Amino acid sequence: MLETVHALIKKTAKQLGLSEQQLELLLKFDAEHTFEINLSDGKTFPAFRVQHNNKRGPYKGGVRFHLEVNIDEVRALATLMSLKTAAVGLPLGGAKGGVAVNPRELSGVQLEELARQYAAHLAPHIGPKVDIPAPDVNTDSRIIDWMVEEYETLTGDNSHASFTGKSLSKGGSLGREAATGRGGVTVLARLLELLHKDSSSLTYAIQGYGNVGAFFGTVAQHEQSNWKLIAASDSRSGVYNEAGLDAHDLFNFKASGGSLANYKGARRVSNNDLFGLDVDALVLAALGDVITPKNMEGVKVTYIVEMANGPVDNKAYQYLTNKGVIIVPDIVANAGGVIVSYLEWWQNMNKVRFSEKEVNRRLKTYLTEATDAMYHYSRKYKVSLTEAALAIAIKRLTD
Ligand code: NAD
């Protein structure tokens, strides 16, 4: 992933005529913290925080607990965060963190000790005006609340602005949970408007009916009356109904612990067949690298919305873009989460609380402006939306 991200930056830097020195500043990392967490029962885990670039504001990025976390992945994701915050015009930089651990193998007590040690080790290097971590894969508000508590005990800070993604009682923001899915709907809807396609009907399928995918589906059902969800999948199975699926019903079914493999009232579709469905849009909300040379030729859609980070690999991106498929890039499509994280931090710093309506209004403004800028750049310079979003981000980081 790091190679792909660096290749994209180098290509865009060349198109923009940046100097070697400017390119080097984009590729380098400001700081890397690599350390070991030693639990009191003797278990040890490698831990990381990479701070990529703070030219536009404090570093910002999630902390992931996953067995496959490694320094190169953290570097790539930190770089993507700098590009994402710049692409949507936030006054923030980019960072990422992680611990190479399978949290499902830890007890609640061990998980809390891990979270607290992670925050304690990084306390001298983070803070409300320095670096503001957030949840990511396998980390949630409960884990972030422990980290905030630890940070505040050690430093005396009481702003609650040192981390975002907190529970509401600890200073979290209304609207955060739905923000990434909601943001994806805003971006696709605005793009269709710019393309004068907003009055036509749109059929779509969602790969990955988790937090992001399910909020995409339910918000779209509420706000976009001419969109129809035809298929959805999770890691075990997919469901399909040409007449349309009820996104809320699927949401409730999943929330009650069900797997789509057992969902009644719809035909089954495998994850691989979902990519080949004859629908207008494919919303990729599960994992990275899911559309590759192995399956790219079967993709029939007009639009791909990248809600996961990097779900279309580089070769598939080239192939599909040449074929005329419009790929809505991750750094704009899934930026809703970091935008509401920024709003959470802003509320904490200014000791105010926005209503959910106000959070959603501000989220929409950021993403509409980012989509407009990306679209107009792509038209003006005859490049893809991905290249346009990257160019805008890189210009903002180097200007
Ligand atoms: P999640 O764990 O809630 O949901 C992921 C869903 O994908 C689950 O339903 C899971 O069953 C499904 N899935 C896993 N493997 C699959 C497979 N091979 N095929 C089909 N489905 C599969 O995670 P999430 O928070 O919804 O995040 C989804 C993606 O979006 C991740 O890649 C994440 O990094 C990215 N993302 C999330 C946010 C956020 O705010 N949550 C922000 C930006 C990007």
Side-chain angles (χ1 to χ4, degrees), residues 121-349:
H121 186 97
L122 286 173
H125 312 290
I126 60 175
K129 291 185 179 167
V130 183
D131 181 356
I132 311 137
D136 196 77
V137 175
N138 293 334
T139 49
D140 55 16
S141 57
R142 187 174 62 129
I143 290 173
I144 295 295
D145 285 353
W146 288 326
M147 291 189 182
V148 177
E149 253 178 50
E150 191 66 24
Y151 177 83
E152 296 194 342
T153 306
L154 289 170
T155 62
D157 171 61
N158 62 2
S159 66
H160 302 333
S162 50
F163 287 75
T164 59
K166 302 174 289 287
S167 61
L168 283 177
S169 63
K170 290 268 178 195
S173 178
L174 291 164
R176 171 64 187 91
E177 213 191 353
T180 306
R182 174 178 293 281
V185 173
T186 301
V187 173
L188 180 59
R190 180 62 185 159
L191 187 67
L192 294 173
E193 226 176 290
L194 291 164
L195 293 165
H196 305 294
K197 303 277 189 205
D198 52 319
S199 51
S200 325
S201 61
L202 178 107
T203 55
Y204 72 103
I206 299 178
Q207 188 217 18
Y209 212 73
N211 174 286
V212 173
F215 276 111
F216 188 105
T218 50
V219 171
Q221 186 160 307
H222 192 239
E223 296 187 352
Q224 305 295 331
S225 55
N226 51 351
W227 295 11
K228 191 157 71 176
L229 176 64
I230 297 290
S233 69
D234 61 20
S235 58
R236 291 186 50 200
S237 182
V239 288
Y240 171 82
N241 187 346
E242 219 164 311
L245 293 163
D246 182 339
H248 285 284
D249 195 52
L250 281 182
F251 182 99
N252 293 335
F253 181 78
K254 288 283 292 176
S256 64
S259 152
L260 291 182
N262 307 318
Y263 184 75
K264 301 222 164 30
R267 280 165 43 204
R268 301 289 133 214
V269 60
S270 72
N271 263 300
N272 228 5
D273 290 345
L274 182 126
F275 296 141
L277 289 179
D278 203 358
V279 287
D280 299 314
L282 199 49
V283 176
L284 301 175
L287 308 162
D289 288 340
V290 292
I291 306 282
T292 67
K294 279 190 190 153
N295 54 15
M296 63 191 186
E297 286 173 21
V299 173
K300 300 193 187 90
V301 297
T302 309
Y303 310 97
I304 290 180
V305 188
E306 292 189 323
M307 297 305 293
N309 292 313
V312 180
D313 87 357
N314 214 13
K315 281 196 178 134
Y317 160 77
Q318 297 296 348
Y319 171 84
L320 292 167
T321 305
N322 288 341
K323 220 175 111 179
V325 177
I326 298 173
I327 300 178
V328 191
D330 49 7
I331 61 171
V332 174
N334 73 21
V338 72
I339 292 170
V340 175
S341 276
Y342 167 68
L343 296 175
E344 177 178 333
W345 172 82
W346 199 92
Q347 292 171 79
N348 298 148
M349 292 298 273

Side-chain angles (χ1 to χ4, degrees), residues 325-380:
V325 177
I326 298 173
I327 300 178
V328 191
D330 49 7
I331 61 171
V332 174
N334 73 21
V338 72
I339 292 170
V340 175
S341 276
Y342 167 68
L343 296 175
E344 177 178 333
W345 172 82
W346 199 92
Q347 292 171 79
N348 298 148
M349 292 298 273
N350 292 285
K351 302 197 184 327
V352 294
R353 169 153 279 179
F354 295 148
S355 66
E356 190 166 353
K357 199 171 160 198
E358 179 61 12
V359 170
N360 291 345
R361 187 189 68 76
R362 289 178 189 236
L363 172 66
K364 190 171 182 180
T365 304
Y366 272 105
L367 284 174
T368 304
E369 284 177 6
T371 308
D372 287 5
M374 168 176 78
Y375 174 80
H376 292 304
Y377 190 103
S378 90
R379 283 284 141 132
K380 184 168 176 192

